[in-house]
Amino acid sequence: MADDLFFTFTLSEGSFAVPVNYVREVLNYEPITSVPKALPYLKGVMNIRGSVVTVVDFREMFGFKITKPMDKCSIIVLEIDQKNEQPLVLGMIADSVDVVTKLDVVVSENYDFGTMPGRKEFISEVATNGNSFILVLDLNKILESIEQEIEK
């Protein structure tokens, strides 16, 4: 994966990335319609050019302290392929967005970095960009976790 491009962003104090092919677009914050009885990190839905898109706050899902108000955040619109289904379009709240870049993957057998208790399966790999460590998210594992929590 070292030759692949990644889209980098921040959640709380951490630096994260997803493969750039998952990113459809980045929006400035827009109002989100709440959905009653939804999981706390499922913030609601928004209308993007006639499509209803679910918006997730990964900061809250990962247990981070939220310091930046939502209306000062960006929404990264992701498109995730699903087995035998239409791709899932999902909005992700990020404190800030960074760049599209190549990252150097760090070989490590320990993916317990103390950043997300009980959520280490959400990290597919660790990479560096200069002197900074960046955690690459496994969006499919995150979706599986959300689906399991909704089913409970």
Side-chain angles (χ1 to χ4, degrees):
M1 261 195 173
D3 293 332
D4 293 342
L5 290 174
F6 292 89
F7 184 84
T8 59
F9 53 93
T10 60
L11 301 173
S12 190
E13 300 296 318
S15 294
F16 294 86
V18 294
V20 72
N21 60 309
Y22 285 105
V23 179
R24 181 194 261 182
E25 63 186 306
V26 178
L27 305 171
N28 291 325
Y29 177 81
E30 294 181 21
I32 298 169
T33 302
S34 297
V35 176
K37 298 186 180 184
L39 294 167
Y41 55 82
L42 294 176
K43 293 303 178 188
V45 295
M46 63 187 298
N47 182 342
I48 300 179
R49 286 180 288 293
S51 295
V52 177
V53 176
T54 300
V55 179
V56 180
D57 191 339
F58 282 4
R59 302 171 305 170
E60 190 166 341
M61 182 181 193
F62 296 166
F64 293 143
K65 182 178 180 184
I66 297 174
T67 57
K68 190 172 190 178
M70 221 176 345
D71 64 346
K72 303 291 185 207
C73 294
S74 296
I75 297 175
I76 302 169
V77 181
L78 304 168
E79 188 170 306
I80 306 164
D81 287 332
Q82 302 290 291
K83 296 175 188 167
N84 303 321
E85 296 179 28
Q86 291 285 345
L88 175 68
V89 178
L90 187 71
M92 176 183 65
I93 295 169
D95 286 314
S96 64
V97 295
D98 198 7
V99 296
V100 172
T101 187
K102 287 185 178 184
L103 298 175
D104 296 317
V105 175
V106 176
V107 177
S108 174
E109 294 182 18
N110 180 7
Y111 285 101
D112 188 4
F113 301 100
T115 57
M116 298 184 290
R119 304 280 195 191
K120 67 182 180 181
E121 72 275 9
F122 292 174
I123 306 299
S124 64
E125 55 197 358
V126 177
T128 58
N129 188 3
N131 294 329
S132 301
F133 281 101
I134 298 172
L135 302 178
V136 179
L137 297 178
D138 185 330
L139 294 173
N140 289 310
K141 293 276 189 198
I142 292 169
L143 286 180
E144 286 174 21
S145 176
I146 292 170
E147 288 171 0
Q148 289 172 0
E149 287 187 51
I150 288 172
E151 288 175 5
K152 288 182 183 176

